[in-house]
Amino acid sequence: MPDRTARAALGLAAVLLSTLTACGLDAPDPVSGLKDDLRHVPRKTAPATRPHLVKQCSAEDVRVGHSSTTGSRGHRRTRTWYTTEHRRTCHDVRQGTESYTKEIRPERWCVRLDDVNGDRGQDDVWFRVDHGDYTEALIARYHTRLRLDSATRTVYC
């Protein structure tokens, strides 16, 4: 039996999944059709720079006054005393630049199908798929019926 942490994680995942499903973000429906064309768009990156931020802290001692009052009316007496408090403030300071790889275009795999879901009027429809479905379509022969589980319809690829 899973321990308490694992059960809590499973419960959280179930709640998250049901919430996403209620919002209409469920998994795409499978699509079938005849293989027409394939397209792989590689990931495009470029070197870029951004400010390098360093946390800089400063400490200071501040003299703070305190007071307390005792008594009432004419016998009122106020006592005042001072203490020194140590305060530390931190903020990010720019210190040069750092290099990183910026993603300009993500990697995409696309399959073009004819006779989508058996409708002969739907030809040359592009679908964006995951790598597994793309590999399956890659090894299939031209105009072979395919079932794509991860297909998302797209205008271009």
Side-chain angles (χ1 to χ4, degrees):
M1 176 147 201
D3 64 344
R4 189 183 317 173
T5 308
R7 284 187 299 208
L10 287 172
L12 181 63
V15 168
L16 181 62
L17 182 62
S18 65
T19 304
L20 289 176
T21 304
C23 294
L25 297 176
D26 52 350
D29 292 331
V31 174
S32 64
L34 303 177
K35 174 185 171 181
D36 189 21
D37 195 10
L38 299 172
R39 185 169 296 154
H40 173 244
V41 180
R43 177 179 181 230
K44 187 173 183 181
T45 60
T49 59
R50 61 183 166 217
H52 180 71
L53 301 176
V54 176
K55 185 172 287 214
Q56 191 174 52
C57 299
S58 62
E60 62 180 342
D61 292 330
V62 178
R63 191 166 183 229
V64 180
H66 309 277
S67 63
S68 69
T69 305
T70 58
S72 61
R73 296 191 186 172
H75 300 289
R76 197 168 200 72
R77 182 171 160 223
T78 301
R79 182 172 149 277
T80 304
W81 72 96
Y82 296 91
T83 60
T84 303
E85 291 184 1
H86 184 75
R87 293 188 183 161
R88 183 176 176 197
T89 57
C90 297
H91 56 279
D92 290 333
V93 176
R94 182 177 174 167
Q95 193 175 64
T97 58
E98 61 185 11
S99 299
Y100 72 104
T101 302
K102 176 170 62 172
E103 184 178 87
I104 297 172
R105 180 184 62 217
E107 187 171 27
R108 293 191 307 257
W109 299 278
C110 300
V111 176
R112 188 169 70 184
L113 297 179
D114 289 338
D115 298 344
V116 177
N117 291 333
D119 184 359
R120 293 181 183 230
Q122 286 196 28
D123 288 343
D124 299 329
V125 181
W126 282 103
F127 291 94
R128 188 174 297 164
V129 296
D130 65 11
H131 188 260
D133 280 346
Y134 179 82
T135 305
E136 184 180 324
L138 185 64
I139 59 176
R141 301 181 78 160
Y142 180 73
H143 264 251
T144 302
R145 181 153 300 278
L146 296 174
R147 181 171 187 250
L148 306 173
D149 294 322
S150 65
T152 305
R153 191 173 184 154
T154 183
V155 178
Y156 67 94
C157 189

